[in-house]
Amino acid sequence: AQTVTQSQPEMSVQEAETVTLSCTYDTSESNYYLFWYKQPPSRQMILVIRQEAYKQQNATENRFSVNFQKAAKSFSLKISDSQLGDTAMYFCAFMKRSGNQFYFGTGTSLTVIP
Amino acid sequence: DADVTQTPRNRITKTGKRIMLECSQTKGHDRMYWYRQDPGLGLRLIYYSFDVKDINKGEISDGYSVSRQAQAKFSLSLESAIPNQTALYFCASAGGTDTQYFGPGTRLTVL
């Protein structure tokens, strides 16, 4: 079975600063996807970034980037130049390439302080 | 317009009542999912469907049933609601990229 662990239930960051959210996962699969989703107070689940395990290059989407360490089974999210609109719950998720089930972590609540 | 829609957005019901939550997607995706979100537990998979004739149980399917009426529609039913089914319910769809796109969620309260 796959497990996804987010060890930081809550974090805060000053506006314009950089913050890193941690995620580790456990799997015996070699081919899979990793995702970060954002859930603001509106409760909508919004895709932030996606990483394919076979790609060594870390994914980047504007101010969001990941540090994917396959051997360590680590997938952290870095948010640069934090904005008030980044305040949300962030979920890390894993999906086997051969399957279609997502496995979610328990989330990290991020607050951006003005 | 939203690509994945859910109705209702909020629902309060009583123990023992039958409830149906509906989901529609306009993305042309073949795969659809129902999740439940509880505080501190993240999202857990209830049921998923790869196409109209394919329904699969997820991690927590007991007490729930689903129907895939068409490629674009996937409904979740609680035959006899109980208070511990109070939660936020999400529908999602996925296509060729395997990325799941979520609806806005339905907040269900069972009294």
Side-chain angles (χ1 to χ4, degrees):
Chain A
Q2 276 61 230
T3 58
V4 179
T5 302
Q6 294 179 250
S7 58
Q8 304 152 314
E10 296 181 358
M11 294 188 72
S12 62
V13 62
Q14 290 291 136
E15 193 175 8
E17 296 296 309
T18 296
V19 65
T20 299
L21 280 57
S22 300
C23 173
T24 58
Y25 57 95
D26 186 24
T27 184
S28 58
E29 300 286 327
S30 59
N31 217 354
Y32 50 87
Y33 300 107
L34 294 162
F35 302 83
W36 279 97
Y37 281 87
K38 166 185 176 180
Q39 187 179 38
S42 67
R43 79 191 190 204
Q44 178 78 47
M45 292 287 286
I46 302 166
L47 177 68
V48 175
I49 202 164
R50 157 197 164 111
Q51 175 81 40
E52 296 173 10
Y54 70 89
K55 290 185 177 179
Q56 294 186 346
Q57 186 174 6
N58 289 324
T60 299
E61 288 288 343
N62 301 314
R63 297 182 296 108
F64 299 88
S65 61
V66 298
N67 183 5
F68 173 47
Q69 302 289 328
K70 191 172 183 179
K73 297 180 182 175
S74 171
F75 183 61
S76 61
L77 174 70
K78 185 173 81 171
I79 306 174
S80 303
D81 186 25
S82 297
Q83 300 175 1
L84 297 178
D86 295 334
T87 292
M89 183 73 82
Y90 287 81
F91 291 95
C92 179
F94 168 98
M95 188 185 83
K96 294 187 295 183
R97 186 131 187 216
S98 59
N100 275 278
Q101 293 193 49
F102 266 36
Y103 298 89
F104 283 88
T106 52
T108 295
S109 177
L110 177 67
T111 300
V112 180
I113 303 168
Chain B
D1 288 339
D3 296 315
V4 183
T5 58
Q6 293 182 233
T7 55
R9 294 293 310 277
N10 295 281
R11 180 73 184 268
I12 300 174
T13 190
K14 295 182 178 180
T15 298
K17 294 291 187 180
R18 184 178 187 275
I19 296 295
M20 179 180 287
L21 308 182
E22 300 189 353
C23 175
S24 295
Q25 50 98 0
T26 58
K27 300 182 77 68
H29 289 163
D30 50 358
R31 287 162 279 170
M32 297 187 75
Y33 307 79
W34 275 104
Y35 291 91
R36 167 178 172 160
Q37 184 180 24
D38 296 281
L41 293 179
L43 278 74
R44 293 181 292 166
L45 183 64
I46 305 172
Y47 271 96
Y48 60 104
S49 170
F50 290 168
D51 64 37
V52 174
K53 297 181 180 180
D54 181 83
I55 303 289
N56 304 279
K57 292 182 178 181
E59 178 186 356
I60 53 164
S61 59
D62 287 349
Y64 302 94
S65 62
V66 291
S67 173
R68 185 84 182 264
Q69 302 93 324
Q71 185 192 35
K73 297 183 181 295
F74 192 38
S75 59
L76 176 72
S77 294
L78 288 68
E79 296 300 327
S80 179
I82 56 177
N84 76 1
Q85 291 178 313
T86 293
L88 187 56
Y89 290 85
F90 284 100
C91 175
S93 70
T97 66
D98 295 319
T99 298
Q100 294 194 11
Y101 295 90
F102 287 82
T106 294
R107 185 169 296 283
L108 177 67
T109 302
V110 183
L111 301 176

